[in-house]
Amino acid sequence: MTRNITTAFIAGCMLLTSSCTKDILGKKPKDSISELDVWKDMSLVSNYATYFYSTLQSGYSRNFYLCEATDDAIAALDNDPYTIVPLTTDASWTPVNAPFNDYYERLYKSIRKANDFLERIDAVPGDADQRKQLKAEIRFFRAYYYAELINYFSDDPVTAAGILPSGAVRDAEKAWGVVLLDKTQVFGEDDLSVPRSTKGACIDFVVKELHEAATAFAQLPASYTKDAGRLTQGAALGLKVRVLLYAGRFKDAAAAAREVMSLNKYQLYPDYKTLFTVKNNQECIISVQHNNIALERAHTLDKSVAPGSMSGQNAMCPTQNLVDEYEMTDGKLPAQSPLYNANDPYTGRDKRFYATIAYDGSSYRGRMLQLSEGGFDIVNSGAFKPRTRYMMRKGINEGFNFLGDASLGSDQNWQLLRYAEILLNYAEAQNEDAGPDNSVYEAVNAIRRRAGQPDLSAGLSQEQMRAAIRHERRIEFAFEDQRFWDLRRWHIAHLPAAKEIYGTIIRKSADGTTAYSRQTVQSRYFELKNYCFPIPNADVLSNRRMEQNTLWK
């Protein structure tokens, strides 16, 4: 990150990214407005604030999919541009060419814009309540940017011997965090070479910002009948829960989760399958708003995950590793359940399996998939074959014709934070802090009941409950980018189970029988240094006080 004098090119930043008049990104841009004009008019400042909503990361539209860098998924191609190939297969990347270098730069650019906004808005004439709301929103966004930086770039000088059962690392908060900038830097007045704060100090800053943003939101509407996707008190409190959990501050994380639950504003959506296609439903706490206009906020999920036989790209092929984690309806894994039939492996599974994964013989976009050897969707998929013989179904709109009007695209919203996460975050934090009390069971069982799965067995130890919660997170949040961070914060990504990627081979015989055989699809690279990403080399060179992450030196 090059720290030059902060200058907000406001007119350019006011290019909004949606024409939908009902959502927060829906206001029309105003052309030919000078920077001075903006800071004299609260309505223009409000318009500018919508820029920050466009910075929320959508898993549907970015040029990489985090799930493909986990044991849950793999791309159809080894050189697929939508996957972080060097991260998952070899040791070829360095601080010079690391895949998230650009994201590091973009986050700090957004932080500079947020700092500039917060320093200028008090001088803008206008409604005091609107000013208060806008300040709370921008403080949320600044905290969000720092939370992202902490996740990706905080130092993690982990050793296998230093990992606690919870996954936390001793003295982790004393390690380097990131550079904290809470005000605009002025050339000639401020030292532009700024040292990194500790991870603990960075977390303190983010938690404080989110707490104060939530307090401000509490004075304002907690929900909106229009401007869908606008931030609320629950959004600030919910992100605080995630930050605290990821930091291993379990007691505080559990308390923060109880605060969200006590709002009584969110509940589990009854149908897991349509949860991801019904926009702004009662489970959604933070969502990235999309529309179906290709040049605005549309994305390409439906085309990306369809097989080559349907002119898709077969991104995010589910692994056999993930498939094996879906329980039978008796609540037992296939390897332990009497209900499991190896010759009919997809019958009698957790309902979330059918909502998430398309498999041989299942209906997909109006026809039955043929994923066995010699099957239509193998022979006719070209380079984009279902590599594991599974395809992702979660969140897709099977009625959308992505080969139709080129001006249109997919418009499912990306649920950045939903109530199910609050429940499972609470369960994990409370279990780590106090053990598996009744409230932990209640939180996990609520998720399982929606899926039609039986309650957890009574009398679980803390270790057994930990395993149950981790299992539940993997199933509930498949393809929602959660697994990427869970593997890292639990420090289990370097273990063989997370690095050996499996698919299946399906062969049909003339007598009508079908045989399934597990096969290794990829053996992945992951060393301890991969628990964090390097500070981009350009920033190390330009900031004389910058320290590179320990295992990346």
Side-chain angles (χ1 to χ4, degrees), residues 82-379:
Y82 293 97
T83 188
I84 312 167
V85 174
L87 173 63
T88 60
T89 58
D90 60 46
S92 68
W93 54 275
T94 70
V96 174
N97 64 356
F100 295 107
N101 283 1
D102 179 64
Y103 191 40
Y104 181 94
E105 295 283 346
R106 285 188 285 122
L107 285 167
Y108 273 110
K109 286 178 182 177
S110 293
I111 287 169
R112 289 197 292 271
K113 287 183 172 68
N115 287 339
D116 188 65
F117 187 103
L118 292 168
E119 288 180 18
R120 290 175 180 248
I121 189 172
D122 281 340
V124 180
D127 181 77
D129 284 342
Q130 185 180 21
R131 180 184 296 107
K132 186 176 183 180
Q133 176 175 341
L134 292 174
K135 288 176 68 174
E137 290 179 5
I138 304 310
R139 289 184 74 179
F140 170 93
F141 283 114
R142 186 171 63 179
Y144 165 77
Y145 304 142
Y146 275 117
E148 289 283 277
L149 285 166
I150 292 167
N151 287 342
Y152 284 94
F153 301 105
S154 285
D155 198 8
D156 192 359
V158 61
T159 62
I163 301 171
L164 299 173
S166 66
V169 176
R170 292 183 178 88
D171 297 323
E173 293 198 14
K174 295 180 181 179
W176 288 121
V178 295
V179 172
L180 285 177
L181 301 173
D182 61 355
K183 70 180 187 66
T184 303
Q185 291 178 294
V186 179
F187 184 77
E189 296 181 13
D190 295 313
D191 186 349
L192 303 185
S193 290
V194 184
R196 300 170 71 173
S197 298
T198 65
K199 185 174 181 180
C202 292
I203 294 164
D204 289 342
F205 175 79
V206 171
V207 169
K208 178 176 181 291
E209 288 292 288
L210 291 172
H211 173 77
E212 293 182 2
T215 301
F217 281 132
Q219 311 299 318
L220 299 161
S223 60
Y224 300 86
T225 56
K226 61 178 183 176
D227 285 349
R230 191 164 203 137
L231 295 170
T232 63
Q233 181 186 21
L237 293 175
L239 183 58
K240 184 172 78 167
V241 177
R242 182 188 288 180
V243 169
L244 290 167
L245 180 72
Y246 282 15
R249 297 184 182 182
F250 298 121
K251 183 179 291 293
D252 291 343
R258 282 192 290 268
E259 196 172 359
V260 177
M261 291 186 277
S262 68
L263 293 175
N264 294 318
K265 301 224 175 260
Y266 309 104
Q267 56 185 308
L268 295 177
Y269 190 71
D271 181 14
Y272 185 82
K273 183 176 182 179
T274 58
L275 163 64
F276 307 98
T277 55
V278 175
K279 293 190 173 189
N280 306 308
N281 58 65
Q282 66 263 34
E283 186 166 337
C284 180
I285 299 175
I286 306 174
S287 63
V288 181
Q289 301 289 301
H290 289 284
N291 66 17
N292 65 353
I293 302 173
L295 296 179
E296 294 183 355
R297 295 289 292 174
H299 54 80
T300 61
L301 173 71
D302 295 300
K303 177 179 175 64
S304 294
V305 303
S309 58
M310 297 181 183
S311 299
Q313 297 169 329
N314 222 141
M316 295 186 285
C317 301
T319 63
Q320 188 68 46
N321 311 51
L322 174 62
V323 170
D324 289 344
E325 288 295 306
Y326 284 92
E327 297 172 355
M328 307 301 292
T329 54
D330 61 2
K332 298 178 181 179
L333 291 173
Q336 288 84 43
S337 174
L339 301 179
Y340 180 70
N341 181 352
N343 296 316
D344 185 19
Y346 310 129
T347 297
R349 306 294 281 267
D350 183 322
K351 290 180 182 178
R352 290 170 291 187
F353 172 77
Y354 305 106
T356 304
I357 294 174
Y359 53 91
D360 181 59
S362 64
S363 176
Y364 183 87
R365 293 193 171 276
R367 69 169 174 81
M368 187 178 73
L369 289 174
Q370 299 177 30
L371 300 176
S372 61
E373 297 304 286
F376 181 87
D377 296 295
I378 301 301
V379 173

